Amino acid sequence: MTQTRADQLLRLQFFPSRISEAVMPVDLDTGGQNLVLHPGESAQFVVQMQNLGEQPLAIDLRLEGECPLAWYDIGMEGRELAPGQRMEAVIQFRVPADFFENPQVLRQGEQLTLNFQNDVLVNFREVETGRQSLDGTALNLYVRPRSRYLQYLPALYQEVDFIGRLLKVFEQAFDPIVQSLNGMWANLDPLTAPEALLPFLAHWVGWNLDARWSPDQQRRLIRNAMDIYRWRGTRQGLRLFLHLYTDLPLDEDLPETEKHICIQGASYKAFNLGFAYLGLDTAVGRGRPYHFLVHLRPEPDRSIDESLIRHIIEQEKPAFCTYELFIGEL
């Protein structure tokens, strides 16, 4: 919108950043500019000024009316405008995000104010002569909730203010249910589910929780329970279980003897003095079939519950197998 008169020294143009999206009540539409404000979102009203005279003008812009002072800030490029030059001022609006929910806004027995009538006034003065003038425009502010449901209606109904406010009531009622359904997957994943749901998820996959496990260990074990069941009784299954509990790497690309979780069958040589070490690679008497060694190499500052490790091995190994456990570097 442009305001220009034959004797006017200052040309004003107004640019609302958000044109009114609704048809406002006739008794409140007093002319001038309209601007819709959504709580929690920023909106701008730009005033462009051009000096049409031959003298510099001292500019002062202010907003008068019903809009609370805490809702807006005025920014200007300067306070003086040279002849023939242009300058812009921006009124930045931001309604509190809890405008419709804050009980302090609404006093007992009063209605919540949604429409605010204001005037944008530009006071300009000729620097040399001191002659002052005042110009501006009316600015009607309409605080409205933003409703996503409007996009599903024909354009004709999207322009009706009452329909937008009515749909917002249904949106606020149904949104918590929709959000719960959209986030249901997180309640069914052991890694993201609330801790209170872990016993339910463990029962779902037939997993027995152990109080000695931390919540993070329980989450990983529950999530991988089916893989542990699938590989139970094998080297791969035991290594996966120990990896999930100790968080030691699997080292799939390393030789078995260099892995952090080393599981290998025991092989003993014949008893030859000078070439064997009793108790390490040589057994006195008959051999030990179905015997294997478990060697864990944690970091020096990392402690591991040996009793729990033995419990895991006893649970996962075949019943006829025997084993030896070593923790740390040999």
Side-chain angles (χ1 to χ4, degrees), residues 61-303:
L61 185 144
R62 64 183 184 272
L63 180 69
E64 293 185 356
E66 302 172 346
C67 180
L69 293 176
W71 285 13
Y72 68 91
D73 291 304
I74 299 178
M76 297 182 62
E77 296 178 351
R79 295 291 178 178
E80 187 171 310
L81 187 59
Q85 298 297 312
R86 297 175 181 267
M87 181 174 65
E88 287 188 352
V90 178
I91 305 178
Q92 186 84 18
F93 293 95
R94 187 174 182 86
V95 180
D98 61 347
F99 175 76
F100 290 103
E101 292 80 16
N102 191 350
Q104 297 180 356
V105 176
L106 187 61
R107 298 179 181 178
Q108 185 175 5
E110 295 185 0
Q111 293 183 348
L112 185 62
T113 303
L114 301 179
N115 309 303
F116 300 85
Q117 298 181 15
N118 307 271
D119 292 305
V120 179
L121 301 178
V122 181
N123 187 13
F124 53 97
R125 174 178 55 85
E126 292 181 330
V127 175
E128 298 180 3
T129 64
R131 186 177 64 168
Q132 295 189 13
S133 299
L134 184 67
D135 203 348
T137 184
L139 176 59
N140 305 310
L141 301 177
Y142 303 98
V143 181
R144 296 294 185 266
R146 180 179 290 281
S147 175
R148 299 191 305 272
Y149 290 6
L150 276 175
Q151 62 182 317
Y152 303 110
L153 296 182
L156 176 65
Y157 297 107
Q158 294 181 19
E159 298 176 355
V160 181
D161 177 51
F162 172 75
I163 293 180
R165 286 187 284 170
L166 179 63
L167 286 180
K168 187 62 179 180
V169 176
F170 292 98
E171 182 178 341
Q172 289 183 325
F174 289 119
D175 253 12
I177 302 175
V178 175
Q179 295 297 329
S180 298
L181 293 176
N182 290 339
M184 182 60 68
W185 65 268
N187 294 327
L188 303 179
D189 188 340
L191 298 182
T192 57
E195 189 172 341
L197 282 179
L198 291 183
F200 166 75
L201 297 177
H203 178 75
W204 202 0
V205 295
W207 186 262
N208 293 322
L209 293 180
D210 194 315
R212 293 174 291 181
W213 299 334
S214 68
D216 289 340
Q217 291 171 336
Q218 291 177 1
R219 293 178 185 276
R220 293 197 300 267
L221 291 169
I222 294 172
R223 197 169 196 243
N224 293 272
M226 302 309 296
D227 289 332
I228 294 176
Y229 295 154
R230 184 180 298 113
W231 295 104
R232 173 162 287 176
T234 65
R235 177 187 299 181
Q236 180 176 345
L238 178 58
R239 196 195 313 276
L240 175 61
F241 202 149
L242 294 175
H243 160 70
L244 295 172
Y245 168 67
T246 63
D247 204 25
L248 293 175
L250 292 174
D251 300 325
E252 296 179 352
D253 298 331
L254 295 179
E256 186 66 35
T257 55
E258 299 179 10
K259 294 179 183 293
H260 284 78
I261 305 175
C262 174
I263 304 174
Q264 57 184 154
S267 59
Y268 294 100
K269 302 176 183 177
F271 183 65
N272 297 321
L273 293 177
F275 299 95
Y277 297 92
L278 188 62
L280 294 180
D281 58 0
T282 302
V284 177
R286 60 185 185 140
R288 302 175 67 182
Y290 310 112
H291 187 75
F292 62 94
L293 307 177
V294 178
H295 185 193
L296 304 180
R297 297 184 176 91
E299 297 296 331
D301 57 345
R302 175 74 182 278
S303 61

Side-chain angles (χ1 to χ4, degrees), residues 14-16 33 35 43-47 89-91 93 120 137 139:
F14 306 100
F15 304 96
Q33 302 290 318
L35 183 63
Q44 294 180 342
F45 185 78
V46 180
V47 181
V90 178
I91 305 178
F93 293 95
V120 179
T137 184
L139 176 59

Side-chain angles (χ1 to χ4, degrees), residues 6-20:
D7 60 344
Q8 190 173 8
L9 298 177
L10 186 68
R11 174 184 293 169
L12 298 178
Q13 290 182 293
F14 306 100
F15 304 96
S17 64
R18 183 181 294 131
I19 301 175
S20 175

